[in-house]
Structure formats: C-alpha cells, structure tokens
Amino acid sequence: MLVLITYDVCTEDEGGRKRLRQVAKQCMNYGQRVQNSVFECVMDAAKCREVQHKLENIIDKEKDSLRFYYLGNNYKHKVEHIGAKPSFDVEGPLIL
C-alpha cells in the first residue's frame, strides 16, 4: 500500500534540528521524499508499524507532529501531481 508520511518538527533549538534530521533520515530508509517534509512509501502494514514506532521514538510529542495517510493499493488514481519535480513510479526500478 502507499503511505504518505508527513511531519512537522519544531526547530527552535539544537535538539529540534537534530530530531528533524533523524526523522528525515528514517523516512528516507522507507520511501521517496516528494516535498521537504513529505515522503511517499510503498510498504505493508508491518513495515508501516515499524517506521511509525521508530519515528514516535524520535519526536517530541509536545512540540512535533507526524501524520500517516494510508492511500491503499489503488493509489495510482488517487495521486495527481502538478508543477515542479516531476512525478515518478514509486514501484518502478531503482537506478543508481
């Protein structure tokens, strides 16, 4: 299923800037960054719980927020992209 992970981390102090880097790094392990704080991730429910648990352990729940949008398996008709940074096939081949 396609899961959209978004986050907002308070960066007013060094601890917040560190949390922001940690959250972004974890998200890069699971999906593709499509905007500064937005990642598209194709994963099953178990992998989703895993990343959610990791991210919850990083953020400060009093200052930061995480949002998970579950778009399911039929997501290709639910996502429309307009503008810069052309869209890509998240399930396509990875070219290094």
Side-chain angles (χ1 to χ4, degrees):
M1 79 176 136
L2 180 67
V3 180
L4 200 66
I5 301 174
T6 67
Y7 53 88
D8 188 20
V9 177
C10 179
T11 57
E12 293 176 353
D13 59 23
E14 182 56 37
R17 291 186 288 276
K18 181 179 179 183
R19 290 192 311 276
L20 178 65
R21 289 188 300 272
Q22 291 174 331
V23 168
K25 187 175 180 178
Q26 278 300 320
C27 287
M28 282 191 257
N29 291 333
Y30 292 91
Q32 176 70 36
R33 175 177 272 168
V34 293
Q35 291 185 353
N36 287 338
S37 298
V38 181
F39 283 79
E40 289 180 351
C41 308
V42 175
M43 61 179 78
D44 59 23
K47 190 65 76 175
C48 190
R49 284 189 302 273
E50 176 183 309
V51 69
Q52 185 174 355
H53 178 72
K54 287 181 179 183
L55 294 175
E56 281 185 54
N57 287 329
I58 295 171
I59 69 165
D60 179 338
K61 292 180 184 173
E62 298 295 319
K63 299 178 182 179
D64 310 329
S65 68
L66 292 169
R67 295 178 73 94
F68 294 81
Y69 296 89
Y70 304 99
L71 299 180
N73 292 321
N74 192 19
Y75 64 87
K76 291 183 182 184
H77 302 290
K78 296 178 184 178
V79 178
E80 183 175 346
H81 176 264
I82 300 169
K85 297 183 182 178
S87 192
F88 61 94
D89 181 4
V90 294
E91 294 186 279
L94 179 62
I95 301 171
L96 298 172

